[in-house]
PDB file of all heavy atoms in Angstrom:
ATOM      1  N   SER A 362       0.110  -4.216  21.572  1.00 87.00           N
ATOM      2  CA  SER A 362      -1.067  -4.789  20.928  1.00 87.00           C
ATOM      3  C   SER A 362      -0.703  -5.251  19.524  1.00 87.00           C
ATOM      4  O   SER A 362       0.361  -4.924  18.999  1.00 87.00           O
ATOM      5  CB  SER A 362      -2.220  -3.779  20.905  1.00 87.00           C
ATOM      6  OG  SER A 362      -1.814  -2.572  20.285  1.00 87.00           O
ATOM      7  N   HIS A 363      -1.611  -5.995  18.907  1.00 91.00           N
ATOM      8  CA  HIS A 363      -1.326  -6.625  17.622  1.00 91.00           C
ATOM      9  C   HIS A 363      -2.474  -6.352  16.653  1.00 91.00           C
ATOM     10  O   HIS A 363      -3.636  -6.286  17.045  1.00 91.00           O
ATOM     11  CB  HIS A 363      -1.151  -8.142  17.798  1.00 91.00           C
ATOM     12  CG  HIS A 363      -0.185  -8.511  18.887  1.00 91.00           C
ATOM     13  ND1 HIS A 363       1.146  -8.723  18.655  1.00 91.00           N
ATOM     14  CD2 HIS A 363      -0.370  -8.678  20.223  1.00 91.00           C
ATOM     15  CE1 HIS A 363       1.739  -9.025  19.789  1.00 91.00           C
ATOM     16  NE2 HIS A 363       0.851  -9.002  20.758  1.00 91.00           N
ATOM     17  N   ASN A 364      -2.116  -6.225  15.362  1.00 91.00           N
ATOM     18  CA  ASN A 364      -3.126  -6.016  14.340  1.00 91.00           C
ATOM     19  C   ASN A 364      -2.511  -6.373  12.986  1.00 91.00           C
ATOM     20  O   ASN A 364      -1.369  -6.823  12.922  1.00 91.00           O
ATOM     21  CB  ASN A 364      -3.628  -4.566  14.358  1.00 91.00           C
ATOM     22  CG  ASN A 364      -5.077  -4.450  13.927  1.00 91.00           C
ATOM     23  OD1 ASN A 364      -5.525  -5.174  13.044  1.00 91.00           O
ATOM     24  ND2 ASN A 364      -5.807  -3.539  14.562  1.00 91.00           N
ATOM     25  N   PHE A 365      -3.269  -6.161  11.933  1.00 92.00           N
ATOM     26  CA  PHE A 365      -2.737  -6.404  10.598  1.00 92.00           C
ATOM     27  C   PHE A 365      -3.114  -5.235   9.694  1.00 92.00           C
ATOM     28  O   PHE A 365      -4.114  -4.546   9.906  1.00 92.00           O
ATOM     29  CB  PHE A 365      -3.264  -7.723  10.012  1.00 92.00           C
ATOM     30  CG  PHE A 365      -4.732  -7.684   9.646  1.00 92.00           C
ATOM     31  CD1 PHE A 365      -5.120  -7.405   8.341  1.00 92.00           C
ATOM     32  CD2 PHE A 365      -5.707  -7.924  10.590  1.00 92.00           C
ATOM     33  CE1 PHE A 365      -6.457  -7.359   8.000  1.00 92.00           C
ATOM     34  CE2 PHE A 365      -7.051  -7.884  10.257  1.00 92.00           C
ATOM     35  CZ  PHE A 365      -7.427  -7.603   8.958  1.00 92.00           C
ATOM     36  N   GLY A 366      -2.277  -4.980   8.725  1.00 91.00           N
ATOM     37  CA  GLY A 366      -2.544  -3.925   7.754  1.00 91.00           C
ATOM     38  C   GLY A 366      -2.751  -4.521   6.380  1.00 91.00           C
ATOM     39  O   GLY A 366      -2.038  -5.446   5.974  1.00 91.00           O
ATOM     40  N   LEU A 367      -3.721  -4.000   5.663  1.00 94.00           N
ATOM     41  CA  LEU A 367      -4.055  -4.499   4.332  1.00 94.00           C
ATOM     42  C   LEU A 367      -3.622  -3.467   3.295  1.00 94.00           C
ATOM     43  O   LEU A 367      -4.047  -2.305   3.342  1.00 94.00           O
ATOM     44  CB  LEU A 367      -5.561  -4.758   4.230  1.00 94.00           C
ATOM     45  CG  LEU A 367      -6.055  -5.457   2.959  1.00 94.00           C
ATOM     46  CD1 LEU A 367      -5.418  -6.832   2.814  1.00 94.00           C
ATOM     47  CD2 LEU A 367      -7.573  -5.571   2.985  1.00 94.00           C
ATOM     48  N   ASP A 368      -2.754  -3.878   2.384  1.00 94.00           N
ATOM     49  CA  ASP A 368      -2.226  -2.995   1.343  1.00 94.00           C
ATOM     50  C   ASP A 368      -2.613  -3.525  -0.034  1.00 94.00           C
ATOM     51  O   ASP A 368      -2.730  -4.741  -0.236  1.00 94.00           O
ATOM     52  CB  ASP A 368      -0.697  -2.896   1.411  1.00 94.00           C
ATOM     53  CG  ASP A 368      -0.189  -2.434   2.768  1.00 94.00           C
ATOM     54  OD1 ASP A 368      -0.975  -1.835   3.518  1.00 94.00           O
ATOM     55  OD2 ASP A 368       0.992  -2.673   3.047  1.00 94.00           O
ATOM     56  N   PHE A 369      -2.798  -2.608  -0.978  1.00 95.00           N
ATOM     57  CA  PHE A 369      -3.031  -2.964  -2.372  1.00 95.00           C
ATOM     58  C   PHE A 369      -2.087  -2.148  -3.252  1.00 95.00           C
ATOM     59  O   PHE A 369      -1.839  -0.974  -2.974  1.00 95.00           O
ATOM     60  CB  PHE A 369      -4.485  -2.671  -2.798  1.00 95.00           C
ATOM     61  CG  PHE A 369      -5.511  -3.542  -2.136  1.00 95.00           C
ATOM     62  CD1 PHE A 369      -6.279  -3.056  -1.093  1.00 95.00           C
ATOM     63  CD2 PHE A 369      -5.699  -4.852  -2.549  1.00 95.00           C
ATOM     64  CE1 PHE A 369      -7.222  -3.855  -0.472  1.00 95.00           C
ATOM     65  CE2 PHE A 369      -6.635  -5.660  -1.931  1.00 95.00           C
ATOM     66  CZ  PHE A 369      -7.407  -5.156  -0.901  1.00 95.00           C
ATOM     67  N   GLY A 370      -1.586  -2.762  -4.297  1.00 96.00           N
ATOM     68  CA  GLY A 370      -0.712  -2.038  -5.212  1.00 96.00           C
ATOM     69  C   GLY A 370      -0.925  -2.471  -6.656  1.00 96.00           C
ATOM     70  O   GLY A 370      -1.285  -3.625  -6.927  1.00 96.00           O
ATOM     71  N   ILE A 371      -0.732  -1.537  -7.565  1.00 97.00           N
ATOM     72  CA  ILE A 371      -0.806  -1.844  -8.990  1.00 97.00           C
ATOM     73  C   ILE A 371       0.371  -1.164  -9.684  1.00 97.00           C
ATOM     74  O   ILE A 371       0.897  -0.159  -9.206  1.00 97.00           O
ATOM     75  CB  ILE A 371      -2.131  -1.371  -9.633  1.00 97.00           C
ATOM     76  CG1 ILE A 371      -2.298   0.135  -9.461  1.00 97.00           C
ATOM     77  CG2 ILE A 371      -3.321  -2.125  -9.052  1.00 97.00           C
ATOM     78  CD1 ILE A 371      -3.505   0.694 -10.211  1.00 97.00           C
ATOM     79  N   SER A 372       0.794  -1.721 -10.800  1.00 96.00           N
ATOM     80  CA  SER A 372       1.852  -1.109 -11.597  1.00 96.00           C
ATOM     81  C   SER A 372       1.533  -1.293 -13.078  1.00 96.00           C
ATOM     82  O   SER A 372       0.862  -2.254 -13.473  1.00 96.00           O
ATOM     83  CB  SER A 372       3.218  -1.724 -11.263  1.00 96.00           C
ATOM     84  OG  SER A 372       3.254  -3.098 -11.617  1.00 96.00           O
ATOM     85  N   TYR A 373       2.013  -0.368 -13.869  1.00 97.00           N
ATOM     86  CA  TYR A 373       1.788  -0.385 -15.317  1.00 97.00           C
ATOM     87  C   TYR A 373       3.082   0.003 -16.012  1.00 97.00           C
ATOM     88  O   TYR A 373       3.675   1.041 -15.686  1.00 97.00           O
ATOM     89  CB  TYR A 373       0.662   0.589 -15.689  1.00 97.00           C
ATOM     90  CG  TYR A 373       0.456   0.741 -17.178  1.00 97.00           C
ATOM     91  CD1 TYR A 373       0.150  -0.361 -17.967  1.00 97.00           C
ATOM     92  CD2 TYR A 373       0.567   1.984 -17.788  1.00 97.00           C
ATOM     93  CE1 TYR A 373      -0.039  -0.233 -19.334  1.00 97.00           C
ATOM     94  CE2 TYR A 373       0.368   2.128 -19.149  1.00 97.00           C
ATOM     95  CZ  TYR A 373       0.069   1.018 -19.917  1.00 97.00           C
ATOM     96  OH  TYR A 373      -0.109   1.158 -21.269  1.00 97.00           O
ATOM     97  N   ARG A 374       3.514  -0.816 -16.944  1.00 96.00           N
ATOM     98  CA  ARG A 374       4.780  -0.592 -17.639  1.00 96.00           C
ATOM     99  C   ARG A 374       4.530  -0.529 -19.142  1.00 96.00           C
ATOM    100  O   ARG A 374       4.562  -1.559 -19.843  1.00 96.00           O
ATOM    101  CB  ARG A 374       5.762  -1.706 -17.308  1.00 96.00           C
ATOM    102  CG  ARG A 374       7.184  -1.432 -17.757  1.00 96.00           C
ATOM    103  CD  ARG A 374       8.136  -2.470 -17.188  1.00 96.00           C
ATOM    104  NE  ARG A 374       9.523  -2.105 -17.396  1.00 96.00           N
ATOM    105  CZ  ARG A 374      10.547  -2.769 -16.881  1.00 96.00           C
ATOM    106  NH1 ARG A 374      10.325  -3.828 -16.111  1.00 96.00           N
ATOM    107  NH2 ARG A 374      11.773  -2.382 -17.118  1.00 96.00           N
ATOM    108  N   PRO A 375       4.249   0.673 -19.682  1.00 96.00           N
ATOM    109  CA  PRO A 375       3.949   0.780 -21.118  1.00 96.00           C
ATOM    110  C   PRO A 375       5.170   0.556 -22.003  1.00 96.00           C
ATOM    111  O   PRO A 375       5.043   0.126 -23.151  1.00 96.00           O
ATOM    112  CB  PRO A 375       3.423   2.207 -21.257  1.00 96.00           C
ATOM    113  CG  PRO A 375       4.042   2.955 -20.116  1.00 96.00           C
ATOM    114  CD  PRO A 375       4.150   1.966 -19.002  1.00 96.00           C
ATOM    115  N   PHE A 376       6.369   0.869 -21.466  1.00 95.00           N
ATOM    116  CA  PHE A 376       7.610   0.672 -22.197  1.00 95.00           C
ATOM    117  C   PHE A 376       8.644   0.062 -21.258  1.00 95.00           C
ATOM    118  O   PHE A 376       8.504   0.122 -20.037  1.00 95.00           O
ATOM    119  CB  PHE A 376       8.136   2.010 -22.752  1.00 95.00           C
ATOM    120  CG  PHE A 376       7.116   2.776 -23.550  1.00 95.00           C
ATOM    121  CD1 PHE A 376       6.479   3.879 -22.988  1.00 95.00           C
ATOM    122  CD2 PHE A 376       6.790   2.393 -24.839  1.00 95.00           C
ATOM    123  CE1 PHE A 376       5.540   4.584 -23.697  1.00 95.00           C
ATOM    124  CE2 PHE A 376       5.849   3.101 -25.571  1.00 95.00           C
ATOM    125  CZ  PHE A 376       5.218   4.196 -25.004  1.00 95.00           C
ATOM    126  N   GLU A 377       9.696  -0.492 -21.828  1.00 93.00           N
ATOM    127  CA  GLU A 377      10.744  -1.090 -21.015  1.00 93.00           C
ATOM    128  C   GLU A 377      11.430  -0.072 -20.126  1.00 93.00           C
ATOM    129  O   GLU A 377      11.959  -0.405 -19.067  1.00 93.00           O
ATOM    130  CB  GLU A 377      11.780  -1.776 -21.919  1.00 93.00           C
ATOM    131  CG  GLU A 377      11.313  -3.087 -22.522  1.00 93.00           C
ATOM    132  CD  GLU A 377      11.065  -4.155 -21.458  1.00 93.00           C
ATOM    133  OE1 GLU A 377      11.881  -4.258 -20.525  1.00 93.00           O
ATOM    134  OE2 GLU A 377      10.044  -4.859 -21.563  1.00 93.00           O
ATOM    135  N   TRP A 378      11.420   1.186 -20.529  1.00 95.00           N
ATOM    136  CA  TRP A 378      12.148   2.226 -19.794  1.00 95.00           C
ATOM    137  C   TRP A 378      11.248   3.081 -18.910  1.00 95.00           C
ATOM    138  O   TRP A 378      11.720   4.039 -18.298  1.00 95.00           O
ATOM    139  CB  TRP A 378      12.882   3.149 -20.778  1.00 95.00           C
ATOM    140  CG  TRP A 378      11.978   3.714 -21.849  1.00 95.00           C
ATOM    141  CD1 TRP A 378      11.712   3.165 -23.058  1.00 95.00           C
ATOM    142  CD2 TRP A 378      11.219   4.922 -21.777  1.00 95.00           C
ATOM    143  NE1 TRP A 378      10.830   3.949 -23.775  1.00 95.00           N
ATOM    144  CE2 TRP A 378      10.517   5.040 -22.999  1.00 95.00           C
ATOM    145  CE3 TRP A 378      11.066   5.924 -20.813  1.00 95.00           C
ATOM    146  CZ2 TRP A 378       9.670   6.109 -23.271  1.00 95.00           C
ATOM    147  CZ3 TRP A 378      10.215   6.990 -21.087  1.00 95.00           C
ATOM    148  CH2 TRP A 378       9.532   7.074 -22.294  1.00 95.00           C
ATOM    149  N   LEU A 379       9.954   2.738 -18.809  1.00 96.00           N
ATOM    150  CA  LEU A 379       9.004   3.559 -18.049  1.00 96.00           C
ATOM    151  C   LEU A 379       8.067   2.684 -17.253  1.00 96.00           C
ATOM    152  O   LEU A 379       7.503   1.717 -17.778  1.00 96.00           O
ATOM    153  CB  LEU A 379       8.218   4.458 -19.006  1.00 96.00           C
ATOM    154  CG  LEU A 379       7.193   5.407 -18.378  1.00 96.00           C
ATOM    155  CD1 LEU A 379       7.865   6.409 -17.459  1.00 96.00           C
ATOM    156  CD2 LEU A 379       6.410   6.127 -19.479  1.00 96.00           C
ATOM    157  N   ASN A 380       7.873   3.042 -15.981  1.00 96.00           N
ATOM    158  CA  ASN A 380       7.002   2.267 -15.111  1.00 96.00           C
ATOM    159  C   ASN A 380       6.214   3.203 -14.200  1.00 96.00           C
ATOM    160  O   ASN A 380       6.773   4.154 -13.641  1.00 96.00           O
ATOM    161  CB  ASN A 380       7.833   1.294 -14.264  1.00 96.00           C
ATOM    162  CG  ASN A 380       6.982   0.235 -13.595  1.00 96.00           C
ATOM    163  OD1 ASN A 380       5.897  -0.069 -14.048  1.00 96.00           O
ATOM    164  ND2 ASN A 380       7.480  -0.324 -12.514  1.00 96.00           N
ATOM    165  N   PHE A 381       4.895   2.962 -14.075  1.00 97.00           N
ATOM    166  CA  PHE A 381       4.022   3.717 -13.182  1.00 97.00           C
ATOM    167  C   PHE A 381       3.526   2.781 -12.079  1.00 97.00           C
ATOM    168  O   PHE A 381       3.316   1.590 -12.314  1.00 97.00           O
ATOM    169  CB  PHE A 381       2.812   4.295 -13.926  1.00 97.00           C
ATOM    170  CG  PHE A 381       3.163   5.313 -14.964  1.00 97.00           C
ATOM    171  CD1 PHE A 381       3.304   4.940 -16.293  1.00 97.00           C
ATOM    172  CD2 PHE A 381       3.354   6.649 -14.624  1.00 97.00           C
ATOM    173  CE1 PHE A 381       3.641   5.874 -17.260  1.00 97.00           C
ATOM    174  CE2 PHE A 381       3.685   7.581 -15.581  1.00 97.00           C
ATOM    175  CZ  PHE A 381       3.830   7.200 -16.903  1.00 97.00           C
ATOM    176  N   GLY A 382       3.304   3.335 -10.887  1.00 97.00           N
ATOM    177  CA  GLY A 382       2.804   2.512  -9.797  1.00 97.00           C
ATOM    178  C   GLY A 382       1.963   3.300  -8.817  1.00 97.00           C
ATOM    179  O   GLY A 382       2.060   4.532  -8.728  1.00 97.00           O
ATOM    180  N   MET A 383       1.109   2.586  -8.099  1.00 97.00           N
ATOM    181  CA  MET A 383       0.287   3.185  -7.051  1.00 97.00           C
ATOM    182  C   MET A 383       0.091   2.151  -5.950  1.00 97.00           C
ATOM    183  O   MET A 383      -0.095   0.961  -6.231  1.00 97.00           O
ATOM    184  CB  MET A 383      -1.065   3.647  -7.583  1.00 97.00           C
ATOM    185  CG  MET A 383      -1.945   4.319  -6.524  1.00 97.00           C
ATOM    186  SD  MET A 383      -3.522   4.953  -7.184  1.00 97.00           S
ATOM    187  CE  MET A 383      -4.365   3.403  -7.475  1.00 97.00           C
ATOM    188  N   VAL A 384       0.127   2.613  -4.705  1.00 96.00           N
ATOM    189  CA  VAL A 384      -0.087   1.714  -3.583  1.00 96.00           C
ATOM    190  C   VAL A 384      -1.021   2.379  -2.575  1.00 96.00           C
ATOM    191  O   VAL A 384      -0.943   3.584  -2.332  1.00 96.00           O
ATOM    192  CB  VAL A 384       1.257   1.325  -2.913  1.00 96.00           C
ATOM    193  CG1 VAL A 384       1.960   2.561  -2.355  1.00 96.00           C
ATOM    194  CG2 VAL A 384       1.042   0.306  -1.809  1.00 96.00           C
ATOM    195  N   ALA A 385      -1.944   1.593  -2.040  1.00 96.00           N
ATOM    196  CA  ALA A 385      -2.829   2.018  -0.951  1.00 96.00           C
ATOM    197  C   ALA A 385      -2.426   1.214   0.277  1.00 96.00           C
ATOM    198  O   ALA A 385      -2.466  -0.025   0.256  1.00 96.00           O
ATOM    199  CB  ALA A 385      -4.290   1.775  -1.298  1.00 96.00           C
ATOM    200  N   ARG A 386      -2.020   1.916   1.344  1.00 92.00           N
ATOM    201  CA  ARG A 386      -1.513   1.255   2.539  1.00 92.00           C
ATOM    202  C   ARG A 386      -2.511   1.372   3.682  1.00 92.00           C
ATOM    203  O   ARG A 386      -3.171   2.391   3.831  1.00 92.00           O
ATOM    204  CB  ARG A 386      -0.180   1.870   2.958  1.00 92.00           C
ATOM    205  CG  ARG A 386       0.914   1.728   1.923  1.00 92.00           C
ATOM    206  CD  ARG A 386       2.181   2.425   2.345  1.00 92.00           C
ATOM    207  NE  ARG A 386       2.012   3.880   2.461  1.00 92.00           N
ATOM    208  CZ  ARG A 386       3.020   4.736   2.460  1.00 92.00           C
ATOM    209  NH1 ARG A 386       4.251   4.310   2.391  1.00 92.00           N
ATOM    210  NH2 ARG A 386       2.782   6.025   2.558  1.00 92.00           N
ATOM    211  N   ASN A 387      -2.592   0.308   4.475  1.00 92.00           N
ATOM    212  CA  ASN A 387      -3.461   0.290   5.670  1.00 92.00           C
ATOM    213  C   ASN A 387      -4.894   0.693   5.330  1.00 92.00           C
ATOM    214  O   ASN A 387      -5.492   1.538   6.006  1.00 92.00           O
ATOM    215  CB  ASN A 387      -2.883   1.227   6.742  1.00 92.00           C
ATOM    216  CG  ASN A 387      -1.515   0.796   7.216  1.00 92.00           C
ATOM    217  OD1 ASN A 387      -1.253  -0.394   7.383  1.00 92.00           O
ATOM    218  ND2 ASN A 387      -0.629   1.750   7.419  1.00 92.00           N
ATOM    219  N   VAL A 388      -5.437   0.083   4.283  1.00 93.00           N
ATOM    220  CA  VAL A 388      -6.796   0.448   3.862  1.00 93.00           C
ATOM    221  C   VAL A 388      -7.840   0.059   4.907  1.00 93.00           C
ATOM    222  O   VAL A 388      -8.962   0.573   4.893  1.00 93.00           O
ATOM    223  CB  VAL A 388      -7.137  -0.193   2.499  1.00 93.00           C
ATOM    224  CG1 VAL A 388      -6.234   0.349   1.413  1.00 93.00           C
ATOM    225  CG2 VAL A 388      -7.031  -1.713   2.562  1.00 93.00           C
ATOM    226  N   ASN A 389      -7.489  -0.836   5.822  1.00 92.00           N
ATOM    227  CA  ASN A 389      -8.407  -1.215   6.899  1.00 92.00           C
ATOM    228  C   ASN A 389      -8.226  -0.371   8.149  1.00 92.00           C
ATOM    229  O   ASN A 389      -8.875  -0.603   9.161  1.00 92.00           O
ATOM    230  CB  ASN A 389      -8.207  -2.690   7.257  1.00 92.00           C
ATOM    231  CG  ASN A 389      -6.782  -2.989   7.712  1.00 92.00           C
ATOM    232  OD1 ASN A 389      -5.823  -2.457   7.157  1.00 92.00           O
ATOM    233  ND2 ASN A 389      -6.637  -3.837   8.711  1.00 92.00           N
ATOM    234  N   SER A 390      -7.343   0.642   8.098  1.00 90.00           N
ATOM    235  CA  SER A 390      -7.098   1.553   9.227  1.00 90.00           C
ATOM    236  C   SER A 390      -6.914   0.803  10.551  1.00 90.00           C
ATOM    237  O   SER A 390      -7.720   0.929  11.473  1.00 90.00           O
ATOM    238  CB  SER A 390      -8.247   2.564   9.349  1.00 90.00           C
ATOM    239  OG  SER A 390      -8.352   3.350   8.186  1.00 90.00           O
ATOM    240  N   PRO A 391      -5.853   0.005  10.679  1.00 90.00           N
ATOM    241  CA  PRO A 391      -5.650  -0.758  11.927  1.00 90.00           C
ATOM    242  C   PRO A 391      -5.417   0.150  13.121  1.00 90.00           C
ATOM    243  O   PRO A 391      -4.862   1.246  12.996  1.00 90.00           O
ATOM    244  CB  PRO A 391      -4.409  -1.609  11.616  1.00 90.00           C
ATOM    245  CG  PRO A 391      -3.687  -0.851  10.556  1.00 90.00           C
ATOM    246  CD  PRO A 391      -4.741  -0.193   9.726  1.00 90.00           C
ATOM    247  N   GLU A 392      -5.859  -0.312  14.293  1.00 88.00           N
ATOM    248  CA  GLU A 392      -5.699   0.440  15.528  1.00 88.00           C
ATOM    249  C   GLU A 392      -4.825  -0.321  16.513  1.00 88.00           C
ATOM    250  O   GLU A 392      -4.765  -1.549  16.495  1.00 88.00           O
ATOM    251  CB  GLU A 392      -7.067   0.716  16.181  1.00 88.00           C
ATOM    252  CG  GLU A 392      -7.942   1.691  15.432  1.00 88.00           C
ATOM    253  CD  GLU A 392      -9.191   2.036  16.223  1.00 88.00           C
ATOM    254  OE1 GLU A 392      -9.454   1.352  17.238  1.00 88.00           O
ATOM    255  OE2 GLU A 392      -9.909   2.966  15.823  1.00 88.00           O
ATOM    256  N   PHE A 393      -4.143   0.457  17.384  1.00 86.00           N
ATOM    257  CA  PHE A 393      -3.314  -0.120  18.432  1.00 86.00           C
ATOM    258  C   PHE A 393      -3.685   0.525  19.759  1.00 86.00           C
ATOM    259  O   PHE A 393      -3.920   1.731  19.833  1.00 86.00           O
ATOM    260  CB  PHE A 393      -1.825   0.101  18.125  1.00 86.00           C
ATOM    261  CG  PHE A 393      -1.378  -0.574  16.864  1.00 86.00           C
ATOM    262  CD1 PHE A 393      -1.403   0.098  15.657  1.00 86.00           C
ATOM    263  CD2 PHE A 393      -0.966  -1.892  16.886  1.00 86.00           C
ATOM    264  CE1 PHE A 393      -1.006  -0.527  14.489  1.00 86.00           C
ATOM    265  CE2 PHE A 393      -0.561  -2.525  15.734  1.00 86.00           C
ATOM    266  CZ  PHE A 393      -0.580  -1.848  14.530  1.00 86.00           C
ATOM    267  N   ASP A 394      -3.739  -0.295  20.792  1.00 83.00           N
ATOM    268  CA  ASP A 394      -4.111   0.200  22.116  1.00 83.00           C
ATOM    269  C   ASP A 394      -3.052   1.156  22.633  1.00 83.00           C
ATOM    270  O   ASP A 394      -1.858   0.977  22.412  1.00 83.00           O
ATOM    271  CB  ASP A 394      -4.260  -0.968  23.100  1.00 83.00           C
ATOM    272  CG  ASP A 394      -5.383  -1.913  22.696  1.00 83.00           C
ATOM    273  OD1 ASP A 394      -6.321  -1.452  22.016  1.00 83.00           O
ATOM    274  OD2 ASP A 394      -5.301  -3.111  23.045  1.00 83.00           O
ATOM    275  N   ALA A 395      -3.501   2.197  23.335  1.00 79.00           N
ATOM    276  CA  ALA A 395      -2.580   3.161  23.933  1.00 79.00           C
ATOM    277  C   ALA A 395      -3.155   3.626  25.257  1.00 79.00           C
ATOM    278  O   ALA A 395      -4.344   3.929  25.361  1.00 79.00           O
ATOM    279  CB  ALA A 395      -2.357   4.352  23.003  1.00 79.00           C
ATOM    280  N   LEU A 396      -2.311   3.658  26.269  1.00 73.00           N
ATOM    281  CA  LEU A 396      -2.752   4.115  27.581  1.00 73.00           C
ATOM    282  C   LEU A 396      -3.153   5.589  27.532  1.00 73.00           C
ATOM    283  O   LEU A 396      -2.565   6.388  26.804  1.00 73.00           O
ATOM    284  CB  LEU A 396      -1.630   3.918  28.602  1.00 73.00           C
ATOM    285  CG  LEU A 396      -1.214   2.469  28.870  1.00 73.00           C
ATOM    286  CD1 LEU A 396       0.010   2.437  29.771  1.00 73.00           C
ATOM    287  CD2 LEU A 396      -2.352   1.703  29.520  1.00 73.00           C
ATOM    288  N   GLU A 397      -4.175   5.929  28.275  1.00 69.00           N
ATOM    289  CA  GLU A 397      -4.642   7.299  28.503  1.00 69.00           C
ATOM    290  C   GLU A 397      -5.412   7.894  27.320  1.00 69.00           C
ATOM    291  O   GLU A 397      -6.312   8.689  27.513  1.00 69.00           O
ATOM    292  CB  GLU A 397      -3.485   8.243  28.876  1.00 69.00           C
ATOM    293  CG  GLU A 397      -2.757   7.854  30.141  1.00 69.00           C
ATOM    294  CD  GLU A 397      -1.703   8.876  30.532  1.00 69.00           C
ATOM    295  OE1 GLU A 397      -1.888  10.072  30.211  1.00 69.00           O
ATOM    296  OE2 GLU A 397      -0.699   8.491  31.139  1.00 69.00           O
TER     297      GLU A 397
END
């Protein structure tokens, strides 16, 4: 079966030597068909 996943990400770099990030994956909770 086929579907799509929707991801969001943000990053913040207060200094050249430091980076913060966050990602939300499959926020639409995709489903795939499975027998039984």
